Amino acid sequence: MKVILPGSYDPITNGHLEVIKQASEKFDEVYVVAFINPKKKYRFSLNERVSMLMLATEELDNVLVSYSDGLVIDYMREHEIDKIVKGYRTDADLPWEREQAEWNLKHGGVETELWKCKEEFENISSTAVRAALDEGVAISDLVPEKVMEYIKNFLLKISNLFLVDI
């Protein structure tokens, strides 16, 4: 069975990776797709988000990383994907995820499995990672190690752009 884990992944977190790993153990093919939402402002470009996804999942043989600017159900039809898998952190997230799942079922005939994350990941979100970056706080407990290194290099490149010889 093929499944899709759609998201913004701005950036991928340890919580995301845990759901991806669980899906890779349960399903034949797992599509991890970074979607573009024109209503969202992203910290990282699409190429950067996809690169981080690839780094985080490179050891999972049945995981395919991609991107799309369309609807999840259209991507699924195009790639003959059977089901959506989404993780959620707390019960407060559940109504929104259920609403999306109902929409995808009604308009696309696509089922969604909603998986509650482990307690250790409940406070980890991409928003929390971006906030930590803004505050100069360590993100090593929030993102996979390879992603942390990628972000460190990204920030180093950005800071070097602003260095000026006086």
Side-chain angles (χ1 to χ4, degrees), residues 151-164:
I151 292 172
K152 261 201 307 197
N153 289 330
F154 169 82
L155 293 174
L156 184 61
K157 286 178 190 174
I158 295 277
S159 67
N160 285 338
L161 289 175
F162 297 104
L163 292 179
V164 183

Side-chain angles (χ1 to χ4, degrees), residues 74 76 90 98 105 131 135-136 160 166:
D74 292 338
M76 292 177 71
T90 66
R98 280 192 179 140
L105 184 59
E135 296 167 14
N160 285 338
I166 298 177

Side-chain angles (χ1 to χ4, degrees), residues 3-32:
V3 298
I4 186 171
L5 280 78
S8 296
Y9 301 108
D10 188 34
I12 182 173
T13 68
N14 287 332
H16 290 133
L17 186 57
E18 181 61 27
V19 174
I20 294 166
K21 285 179 178 178
Q22 288 176 21
S24 76
E25 292 170 4
K26 184 174 179 180
F27 300 106
D28 300 319
E29 288 182 46
V30 177
Y31 285 72
V32 179

Side-chain angles (χ1 to χ4, degrees), residues 4 6-7 35 68 70-77 84 104 110:
I4 186 171
F35 278 84
S68 176
L71 295 175
V72 173
I73 56 176
D74 292 338
Y75 187 95
M76 292 177 71
R77 285 186 192 119
I84 299 169
N104 286 324
V110 181

Side-chain angles (χ1 to χ4, degrees), residues 41 54 63 72 123 127 135 154 158:
K41 184 178 178 190
M54 292 175 77
V63 172
V72 173
N123 295 318
T127 303
E135 296 167 14
F154 169 82
I158 295 277

Side-chain angles (χ1 to χ4, degrees), residues 68-93:
S68 176
D69 63 356
L71 295 175
V72 173
I73 56 176
D74 292 338
Y75 187 95
M76 292 177 71
R77 285 186 192 119
E78 186 178 321
H79 294 87
E80 299 177 345
I81 299 172
D82 305 298
K83 185 182 285 192
I84 299 169
V85 172
K86 295 277 304 241
Y88 67 97
R89 293 176 296 126
T90 66
D91 290 340
D93 295 337

